[in-house]
Amino acid sequence: MVPILGLAVVAAMLLVPALIGLIIDWWWFTEIGYQIVFTRELTTRLLLFLAAGGFTAGVLYLNLRTAQRGIVPDPFVLQLGPGAPRLDLTRAVRRITLPVALGLGLLAGLAATPAWDSVLRALHRTSFGIVDPVFSRDIGFYVFTLPALAAGLGFLFALVMVSLLLLLPLYRLRGDIVLGPRRLRLEPAAGLHLSFLLAALFLLTALRLWLVDIPGLLYSTTGPLVGASYTDLHARLPALRISAVVAVLAAVGVLVGGFRRQLALYALPAIAGYLGVAFLGRNLYPLVMQKFVVAPTELTREAPYLRHHIAATRQAWGLDSVEVRELGGEADLTLANIRANAPTIENVRLWDREPLLQTFGQLQEIRTYYDFVSVDDDRYWIDGKYRQVLLAPRELNPASLPTRTFINEHLTFTHGMGLTLSPVNQVTPEGLPVLFVKDLPPVSTVSLRLTRPQIYYGELTDPYVFVGTKQREFDHPSGDANVYAAYSGTGGVAVGNILRRSLLAFHFGSSKILFSGDITNESRVLYNRNIAWRASKALSFLRFDRDPYLVIAGDGTPKWFVDGYTATDRYPYAQRLQSGTSYMRNSVKLVIDAYHGSLTAYVSAPADPLIRTWSSIFPGVFRPLDSMPDDLRAHIRYPDDIYRVQTSLYTTYHMEAVEDFYHREDQWQIPTIAKSDESVPFMRHIIMRLPEESKAEFIYMVPFTPRGKDNLAAWMVARNDGDVYGKLRVYRLSRQSLVFGPRQIENRINQNTEIARQVSLWDQRGSQVIRGDLLVIPIEESVLYVQPLYLRAEGGRIPELKRVVVAYQNRVVMEETLDGALAALFGGSAGQRTPPPPSVAAGAKAVDSELRSLAAEARRRYQAALQAQREVDWARYGEEFKRLGELLEQIGNQGEDQESE
């Protein structure tokens, strides 16, 4: 009685938390409207548990009871030694038969439940419309059917093996198996029983070889590729077929031995014969063929299979749809080219994410409990112009609260507040970023508006919070006072009655939830608020990009974008990642409201068979991308994770000719830049007008250099705007012309004496020079390089933009502004302006205008010097006064020239 009671207590301790967790999850899935995801997964898991567990328990119980049949004197007797007493285990064995079968059935059921997604995918499989080049099966068979088939056969094989492992000691105890000095003797009934199980093992092995292992050759890595190679198809394939036939013959042989009461006589040769064929045919023969037949003429033998591998990899990773454009060579850029590409120049990103994040943190966090987690690139139409901006949400960090109590963490401080938004290319006179959206409550200085700035769901919002309580919710600080506001959104789960409150208290591990007088029945609890966790919990069968980003919708509300991927490791012949993934598509754009917490999943790759299968499994969850509001669709972008993979693979798989691919004659690489303890690839979002296109667009750009060399070979863009979203295009440079690559330009910048002198001067004064990202800016058929330089005073935390370096061909210049650097390179101003008419009056007017410009610049330098003096930044103070003196000298010279005229 006591053991049973103890087992009941242990079961309750395990089951009760799991059951409460299911209830809490059901409430949450109901809140977001994804009940079908919860119920279908749970139902499938339960059915698998019952089917696998019940079948396992039934088979094992039947086998164990069969082994105990008949009347045998002392059927289960154990004697540990020649003089030891005999132990009668008959009643004990009969008693534990059912518990053992049920226990192993329980374990089998639990082990089967993770296969719920494989089962559903197989039942709702979708055709790829592409067949493999060897067996002419649709790719859908390998992605959907084969994994389920392999899992089913593996389960049956394991069940038969466990049955054998249980029966052999049982029959030994019973005395039906006798190990003699020269031979093994089996009681006829036991031999027949064991022969059935051995025959089942051989038949299952034959099925696995024929149905799983033969198609699995398309994942082989024997040759210089992923997929079936020459050796696989000419040695392993015949050997697998022969092995399957031998396994069937072995099954027949052991059955004959069982019926003839000579199992040992038949079984041992059958096992030995199968193992011999398997070793010779599937191991030794392929090894010999690979070494002596294939290796000496590898390219000739493997050429057809390399062709399959290249084609499959390009299809699986979406590289077959890359547009390729040839650039005739580097044409000389002129000032007219720069002005014709004004939208590109006006959106050159002078602010890097890391320095800008530090600056935002110092200028705009306002309070210690606010944090900026990340800075994201985006684009908006602002005051009639298409502008690239950098945006950072201001989130609440509970770990930084001055007093971490239950009320503060879960009732009062419930949300972040607003965001900071800055153009990528504008700088204040002090070298700080211009802020379009700033402060608390958020204030906009442009046409962009933020109407509901509260952020209840974000990247830092891990803890659960209660809203609608008797405690006031802190909204934002206002001077020395605090402003409070009540949550009026639709998110959260109702607390309700005492039973629901008790379940919530148990789940979250806090008795304060149960006894707090501030929490009422009408209160709601918001949980699973971290957007990455929220997305993965709602759609656990998808993978998600590591870089979610916040956008401002047309109505001024903040919304999160999280890119979702469908992926598989079962695409035949395709190159795999280290994780095994061989196929991936950005099939879902998930939008999460930062205030309400609602989730809306849009299908961005409707032709993807995987997302079509999941849409069939969970009807109503996914919406077509066309139904996304235009104000949100204007902010979708090509996701980072898949683009990194595609560009990395394209360095090799742009070579479609087998000979070139095998010899790696034209392999590329992505140039990298060293940052702290890692190398970061040159990958940048920019607004630019592509060659042969009529207007500027938001693109994601990556340069390529030849492997082992530093000159530029090509560059790829992922397009983000309008109807061209998702299209990849590569611009290949002529091999006859030399275009400097990023590393070569970096070396030229480092070797420039003027730049080195200025950097050394700053370093001597104790300031820290921060080199910004080197930007690769394609203009027409040429490439311009831009690198911002930031200065951080000794002991300071705010990087300031001090210089802009621009490089073109062999020339490198450094000026205080991008316009100044471009003017130094190409002459004149890079800005768009109308030439003045050739008259004396107009000339005088132009001189006056230039004097006013110089005077304004002098005033700006004077104010900057005063600011540096207040901040006790004497290095910057001296620099500003030096520049002021130069400006005053220019003003004097201009005045003398005007008087002489």
Side-chain angles (χ1 to χ4, degrees):
M1 187 67 181
V2 173
I4 295 176
L5 195 59
L7 288 174
V9 171
V10 171
M13 292 175 63
L14 294 174
L15 292 176
V16 169
L19 183 60
I20 292 176
L22 282 176
I23 295 172
I24 300 297
D25 284 346
W26 168 248
W27 292 345
W28 184 78
F29 275 95
T30 303
E31 173 210 338
I32 64 173
Y34 281 20
Q35 298 96 320
I36 190 172
V37 176
F38 179 86
T39 55
R40 187 144 296 178
E41 178 182 342
L42 181 62
T43 302
T44 307
R45 285 179 179 271
L46 184 60
L47 290 175
L48 279 174
F49 173 79
L50 294 175
F55 183 72
T56 298
V59 169
L60 293 178
Y61 183 75
L62 179 63
N63 277 289
L64 290 172
R65 291 299 295 167
T66 301
Q68 300 172 43
R69 75 208 178 289
I71 302 174
V72 179
D74 300 329
F76 296 108
V77 175
L78 178 64
Q79 189 172 16
L80 299 177
R86 292 160 58 88
L87 301 175
D88 187 356
L89 303 178
T90 305
R91 295 183 62 186
V93 169
R94 292 184 185 276
R95 277 186 173 184
I96 65 171
T97 296
L98 183 58
V100 166
L102 291 176
L104 292 175
L106 175 66
L107 295 176
L110 293 173
T113 55
W116 69 272
D117 53 344
S118 297
V119 172
L120 288 177
R121 285 200 305 266
L123 294 175
H124 296 265
R125 59 190 177 274
T126 305
S127 171
F128 272 68
I130 304 172
V131 297
D132 77 86
V134 176
F135 303 114
S136 298
R137 288 192 178 103
D138 187 89
I139 302 299
F141 167 80
Y142 298 93
V143 174
F144 301 119
T145 306
L146 189 59
L149 197 59
L153 290 173
F155 169 77
L156 292 175
F157 188 90
L159 178 57
V160 176
M161 184 62 72
V162 169
S163 299
L164 270 174
L165 293 176
L166 289 174
L167 292 178
L168 286 173
L170 205 58
Y171 278 127
R172 180 72 179 91
L173 285 173
R174 180 184 168 96
D176 291 337
I177 299 177
V178 179
L179 296 174
R182 293 187 177 180
R183 71 190 195 97
L184 176 69
R185 183 178 64 81
L186 291 172
E187 189 271 332
L192 186 60
H193 187 187
L194 294 176
S195 69
F196 278 115
L197 293 177
L198 282 173
L201 279 182
F202 278 118
L203 289 175
L204 289 171
T205 299
L207 288 173
R208 179 178 55 80
L209 291 169
W210 200 271
L211 299 178
V212 177
D213 290 358
I214 288 178
L217 288 175
L218 302 192
Y219 308 114
S220 171
T221 56
T222 300
L225 65 142
V226 175
S229 63
Y230 183 93
T231 299
D232 292 318
L233 297 181
H234 291 82
R236 283 197 174 85
L237 179 58
L240 285 171
R241 288 171 173 166
I242 293 172
S243 295
V245 173
V246 171
V248 172
L249 294 176
V252 173
V254 295
L255 282 176
V256 171
F259 280 107
R260 291 189 173 185
R261 302 184 178 185
Q262 295 178 324
L263 178 61
L265 185 63
Y266 283 80
L268 293 178
I271 295 172
Y274 172 77
L275 293 177
V277 170
F279 174 74
L280 293 174
R282 288 152 52 190
N283 291 281
L284 186 60
Y285 177 49
L287 185 65
V288 171
M289 176 175 283
Q290 181 68 28
K291 185 173 182 179
F292 296 105
V293 178
V294 176
T297 55
E298 188 174 56
L299 178 57
T300 303
R301 303 273 185 187
E302 302 287 15
Y305 314 109
L306 281 169
R307 195 171 293 112
H308 299 333
H309 171 66
I310 295 170
T313 299
R314 291 172 61 87
Q315 290 168 353
W317 292 102
L319 303 179
D320 57 333
S321 59
V322 174
E323 304 174 25
V324 179
R325 303 289 175 89
E326 300 289 340
L327 296 179
E330 186 172 12
D332 289 334
L333 280 182
T334 64
L335 185 61
N337 298 133
I338 300 297
R339 289 176 177 169
N341 288 271
T344 302
I345 300 302
E346 292 170 0
N347 286 283
V348 171
R349 198 179 85 184
L350 300 180
W351 284 104
D352 291 351
R353 293 185 181 186
E354 291 181 14
L356 191 63
L357 189 63
Q358 296 174 27
T359 303
F360 282 174
Q362 293 300 312
L363 300 179
Q364 285 291 305
E365 282 183 0
I366 312 295
R367 293 289 187 271
T368 58
Y369 40 78
Y370 287 126
D371 266 348
F372 291 107
V373 181
S374 62
V375 177
D376 290 305
D377 287 276
D378 207 348
R379 71 283 196 198
Y380 291 85
W381 282 96
I382 298 175
D383 296 331
K385 284 190 172 183
Y386 197 45
R387 304 292 299 271
Q388 184 175 349
V389 299
L390 292 165
L391 180 152
R394 185 186 291 105
E395 296 198 51
L396 181 76
N397 186 355
S400 299
L401 288 173
T403 307
R404 299 189 64 183
T405 63
F406 176 80
I407 291 177
N408 276 353
E409 287 193 55
H410 302 291
L411 277 68
T412 301
F413 293 89
T414 56
H415 57 274
M417 187 65 176
L419 52 87
T420 299
L421 184 143
S422 172
V424 296
N425 64 330
Q426 286 186 241
V427 187
T428 68
E430 294 77 24
L432 300 175
V434 171
L435 303 180
F436 283 170
V437 181
K438 60 183 178 180
D439 298 339
L440 287 173
V443 176
S444 174
T445 60
V446 292
S447 58
L448 203 60
R449 292 290 180 266
L450 192 63
T451 58
R452 195 186 58 213
Q454 292 83 2
I455 299 176
Y456 281 84
Y457 300 85
E459 295 183 90
L460 277 182
T461 49
D462 284 329
Y464 62 92
V465 296
F466 289 87
V467 295
T469 67
K470 294 179 182 179
Q471 284 287 334
R472 293 186 301 172
E473 284 185 60
F474 172 80
D475 196 54
H476 64 273
S478 179
D480 294 332
N482 291 331
V483 176
Y484 296 87
Y487 179 71
S488 59
T490 58
V493 171
V495 172
N497 56 36
I498 188 65
L499 177 59
R500 291 172 64 94
R501 185 184 291 208
S502 300
L503 295 178
L504 289 169
F506 183 89
H507 179 74
F508 292 116
S510 175
S511 60
K512 294 183 177 67
I513 297 174
L514 185 61
F515 299 112
S516 173
D518 294 319
I519 302 173
T520 68
N521 291 349
E522 288 71 34
S523 300
R524 278 183 289 168
V525 57
L526 281 57
Y527 52 100
N528 295 332
R529 297 194 300 142
N530 180 278
I531 55 171
W533 172 250
R534 194 172 184 83
S536 62
K537 189 169 185 65
L539 303 171
S540 60
F541 46 88
L542 298 179
R543 302 181 188 180
F544 289 96
D545 196 86
R546 59 183 166 183
D547 186 23
Y549 59 99
L550 190 74
V551 306
I552 303 174
D555 59 357
T557 58
K559 298 183 185 294
W560 291 98
F561 269 79
V562 188
D563 284 285
Y565 303 105
T566 48
T568 180
D569 57 358
R570 307 300 296 176
Y571 200 101
Y573 266 111
Q575 181 65 31
R576 304 181 198 133
L577 306 182
Q578 288 185 350
S579 62
T581 305
S582 56
Y583 172 95
M584 182 184 286
R585 289 291 183 273
N586 173 218
S587 299
V588 174
K589 301 287 184 182
L590 184 64
V591 179
I592 303 177
D593 192 292
Y595 187 74
H596 298 289
S598 58
L599 292 86
T600 309
Y602 298 95
V603 175
S604 53
D608 172 39
L610 283 170
I611 199 60
R612 286 161 55 197
T613 296
W614 287 119
S615 298
S616 175
I617 295 171
F618 302 116
V621 169
F622 300 102
R623 301 182 185 182
L625 190 61
D626 293 340
S627 66
M628 179 185 288
D630 292 339
D631 60 317
L632 291 180
R633 192 165 182 180
H635 295 284
I636 61 175
R637 70 186 193 192
Y638 205 84
D640 186 66
D641 285 354
I642 192 171
Y643 193 50
R644 288 176 182 269
V645 174
Q646 288 176 313
T647 52
S648 177
L649 288 171
Y650 197 77
T651 59
T652 301
Y653 290 90
H654 71 276
M655 297 178 286
E656 296 185 68
V658 171
E659 293 80 5
D660 294 343
F661 180 86
Y662 181 81
H663 295 298
R664 300 294 196 266
E665 289 184 358
D666 190 25
Q667 188 166 4
W668 298 339
Q669 63 187 12
I670 300 173
T672 59
I673 181 171
K675 279 194 174 183
S676 60
D677 58 346
E678 61 177 346
S679 294
V680 180
F682 281 87
M683 304 179 71
R684 305 290 182 264
H685 287 96
I686 56 176
I687 287 179
M688 65 168 290
R689 183 175 66 82
L690 295 173
E692 304 176 9
E693 298 295 334
S694 59
K695 62 180 182 179
E697 56 187 282
F698 188 60
I699 57 102
Y700 198 5
M701 185 266 191
V702 175
F704 296 117
T705 61
R707 185 181 62 174
K709 297 182 179 179
D710 293 328
N711 59 289
L712 202 63
W715 45 279
M716 176 186 280
V717 296
R719 308 175 73 181
N720 293 281
D721 291 349
D723 295 335
V724 297
Y725 167 77
K727 294 185 181 298
L728 302 180
R729 182 181 291 180
V730 168
Y731 291 91
R732 297 176 61 110
L733 301 173
S734 172
R735 292 191 184 185
Q736 279 67 48
S737 62
L738 175 65
V739 180
F740 290 126
R743 193 176 298 277
Q744 291 171 318
I745 293 296
E746 274 197 331
N747 292 335
R748 287 185 172 274
I749 292 174
N750 293 334
Q751 293 166 5
N752 185 279
T753 55
E754 175 61 24
I755 297 174
R757 184 192 65 79
Q758 183 63 65
V759 170
S760 175
L761 181 62
W762 281 328
D763 287 338
Q764 289 173 7
R765 294 175 177 174
S767 300
Q768 179 187 1
V769 178
I770 303 173
R771 293 179 179 269
D773 290 345
L774 181 65
L775 305 174
V776 185
I777 313 293
I779 304 286
E780 301 298 342
E781 294 194 5
S782 299
V783 177
L784 201 66
Y785 290 91
V786 178
Q787 184 177 48
L789 296 181
Y790 310 97
L791 192 65
R792 184 163 54 202
E794 185 178 9
R797 296 185 179 181
I798 303 179
E800 299 174 359
L801 179 63
K802 285 300 180 184
R803 296 289 188 273
V804 178
V805 179
V806 178
Y808 173 63
Q809 293 182 345
N810 293 320
R811 291 172 288 167
V812 178
V813 299
M814 180 179 71
E815 295 293 336
E816 294 186 6
T817 64
L818 175 62
D819 192 68
L822 292 172
L825 269 179
F826 301 105
S829 172
Q832 291 180 312
R833 59 184 186 183
T834 304
S839 66
V840 174
K845 184 178 180 181
V847 172
D848 289 341
S849 175
E850 189 167 357
L851 280 171
R852 286 194 297 270
S853 176
L854 289 171
E857 178 68 10
R859 284 194 298 271
R860 188 175 71 81
R861 290 293 175 185
Y862 177 69
Q863 294 296 329
L866 292 179
Q867 179 66 26
Q869 184 183 33
R870 286 192 291 269
E871 295 178 0
V872 199
D873 187 350
W874 300 113
R876 184 155 63 92
Y877 176 82
E879 183 67 23
E880 295 295 347
F881 257 99
K882 177 184 175 184
R883 295 296 298 166
L884 177 61
E886 295 172 355
L887 287 167
L888 292 174
E889 185 177 349
Q890 291 181 42
I891 290 172
N893 292 336
Q894 289 285 352
E896 291 175 1
D897 292 342
Q898 192 171 7
E899 288 177 3
S900 65
E901 292 176 2

